[in-house]
Amino acid sequence: MKNILLIGGSYGIGLAIAKELQYENKVFVASRTNEAISDMNVTHIPFDAATDVLDTAVLPEVIDGFVYCPGSINLRPFRGLKPEAFESDLQINFISMIKVLQSVLPNLSAANQSSVVLFSSVAAGIGMPFHTSVAAAKGAIEGFAKALAAEYAPKIRVNVIAPSLTDTPLAEKFLSNEEKKEKSAQRHPLKRVGTAKDMAKTAKFLLSEDSSWISGQIFHVDGGMSTLLVNN
């Protein structure tokens, strides 16, 4: 069994990943809460990515897979965004990820070949109004991931999943009723909103041996939004 560390795996996409992995791997979930995972076959580590330092002493010496899930959706006009908003988005999406990833780098390096999975956004690849702050933070992740993948190949593989709007608690205010969900679905070529399971299945693949010859890639799990122009 592989040792997989999920940062922020107690709800949304992280929870879906934990559910996918729990029976075939030894899963460690570092998150603020554990109510949703209390009856699952996972080990919970109390941890707030925004403020805490991860206690690596409670982790196994070898970590085969690492997933960082915390993120933000801060959609506002640029003229109304203060620099502090950019700093906040960069902190939770990128800086906090760097800190925890550096702390477990020896554990990842101890594996035969480990896999790191990070999350970006469709907004990092295409221009979307009101996305300046989140696009900047997620763009940092994409550039970082490619550089890290090059630096640690072939020992550590690094890949990124870039979703479009996904039906999770983080996106609740944008998908709070059926009308909003339908409007969002119609903006995507595949005519539906993404689900946490869509992302979890992709993460499971990237953590598995089936993707052992893949690194430094951005996977656009976005209903075709980033590459397809179709008539509605």
Side-chain angles (χ1 to χ4, degrees), residues 50-102:
T51 58
D52 296 344
V53 175
L54 184 65
D55 181 7
T56 58
V58 302
L59 296 171
E61 290 185 6
V62 176
I63 295 177
D64 301 284
F66 172 92
V67 186
Y68 185 86
C69 300
S72 59
I73 304 178
N74 185 14
L75 308 187
R76 293 170 58 193
F78 173 67
R79 66 177 181 274
L81 281 172
K82 295 183 178 180
E84 290 79 8
F86 285 85
E87 291 173 356
S88 177
D89 281 338
L90 194 65
Q91 182 68 45
I92 189 60
N93 287 279
F94 184 61
I95 302 299
S96 294
M97 177 270 291
I98 289 173
K99 290 179 179 178
V100 68
L101 185 53
Q102 283 186 328

Side-chain angles (χ1 to χ4, degrees), residues 149-191:
E151 186 170 339
Y152 282 91
K155 195 67 174 176
I156 302 175
R157 298 187 297 110
V158 186
N159 292 289
V160 178
I161 299 172
S164 183
L165 189 62
T166 304
D167 193 0
T168 65
L170 189 64
E172 184 176 7
K173 67 179 179 180
F174 304 106
L175 301 169
S176 57
N177 56 52
E178 290 304 315
E179 182 181 359
K180 288 183 179 180
K181 288 182 180 179
E182 181 59 25
K183 285 184 178 179
S184 180
Q186 291 305 312
R187 285 196 290 268
H188 295 78
L190 295 186
K191 304 305 179 187

Side-chain angles (χ1 to χ4, degrees), residues 6 8-19 69:
L6 304 181
S10 59
Y11 77 103
I13 292 173
L15 177 59
I17 296 172
K19 289 179 178 178
C69 300

